[in-house]
Amino acid sequence: MTGFIIALISGALMSIQGVFNTGVTKQTSMWVSTGWVQLTAFLTCLILWYFSGRENITGLFDVQPKYLLIGGVLGAFITYTVVRSMGTLGPAKAALIIVISQIIVAYAIELFGLFGVEKVGFEWKKLIGAVVAIIGIMIFN
């Protein structure tokens, strides 16, 4: 149940953040806004790290495979794409499409066992669920 609640909070925060970031972008520029988001996220992480146990950061050098370390780069492009989609489609439509994309890509990652994730078997009900979600977006339009 905790995971479910955290996921709901995550979705809500992502939608709110997208709206906020789009507003900042309209008043500055895309990369100024994105840079601000990443900088304030970094500072928040430093503060929380300082007060929560101060794990050794040199462990980052031991992470394998190394491509796992590009999460921050992906985060910058996530911010960019969320802002652009919300700015052109509006928050609700953009969020719907983003969530459907997340579901489809996450299932493909599990299905093919990509990036070290445990491989799962194909299930028709999951494919049908994705199709129903896509139809839902078309109806929402």
Side-chain angles (χ1 to χ4, degrees), residues 40-76:
T40 56
F42 176 69
L43 294 174
T44 301
C45 289
L46 280 179
I47 291 166
L48 293 172
W49 168 81
Y50 182 80
F51 288 107
S52 70
R54 297 186 219 163
E55 297 82 3
N56 191 344
I57 62 172
T58 60
L60 286 171
F61 299 112
D62 299 326
V63 171
Q64 293 296 329
K66 293 295 183 199
Y67 68 78
L68 296 176
L69 294 171
I70 67 167
V73 175
L74 294 175

Side-chain angles (χ1 to χ4, degrees), residues 100-122:
I100 298 306
S101 176
Q102 286 177 312
I103 292 167
I104 292 168
V105 171
Y107 184 53
I109 289 169
E110 287 183 342
L111 191 61
F112 298 108
L114 302 174
F115 312 120
V117 172
E118 186 175 331
K119 193 173 185 177
V120 299
F122 175 79

Side-chain angles (χ1 to χ4, degrees), residues 83-103:
V83 168
R84 289 296 303 262
S85 64
M86 285 194 174
T88 57
L89 300 173
K93 192 183 300 184
L96 274 171
I97 295 169
I98 289 166
V99 169
I100 298 306
S101 176
Q102 286 177 312
I103 292 167

